[in-house]
Amino acid sequence: MGTVRQEIINLLMDREMTARQISQALGIREKEVYDHLPNIARSLAGQGKKLIALPFSCMDCGHVFTDRKRWSRPGRCPICKNGHIQEPRFRVVGF
Ligand SMILES: [Zn+2]
C-alpha cells in the first residue's frame, strides 16, 4: 500500500489531477484514491510538502464547497439540489 501512495504523490508533484485520472493512471478504483488521500496528506506533512485540493464546485449554480472537511465528493449541491458536482483537482506542493 505504501507504494501506491508514493505513486500518487509522484503523479501529483508533476501536475494537477482528479481522483478519476489518478485511478486510471494507477489502475485502482476511484474510491481507493480517496481512501489514500488523508494518509498521504498526513505523511507529506512530515516531509515539508502539502497535499492541496482545489475546492469542489457545483456545475449548475456555481456554489463552491469551501468548508468541506472530507476529501470525497459531496453527493449533491445544497443550494440548487443538483448532483452535477465538478471533480476537484489534487496537487502536491513543496515549500
Ligand atoms: Zn448548485
Side-chain angles (χ1 to χ4, degrees), residues 62-74:
H63 173 66
V64 178
F65 297 76
T66 50
D67 55 355
R68 295 281 300 178
K69 296 287 186 288
R70 293 167 55 223
W71 294 99
S72 56
R73 174 157 45 165

Side-chain angles (χ1 to χ4, degrees), residues 13-24:
M13 291 203 316
D14 288 340
R15 75 211 91 149
E16 294 174 358
M17 293 177 85
T18 64
R20 181 171 305 172
Q21 289 170 325
I22 296 167
S23 74
Q24 286 168 353

Side-chain angles (χ1 to χ4, degrees), residues 58-63 77-82 84-85:
C58 174
M59 287 190 273
D60 290 313
C61 73
H63 173 66
C77 176
I79 307 301
C80 68
K81 313 294 183 200
N82 230 315
H84 297 122
I85 309 298

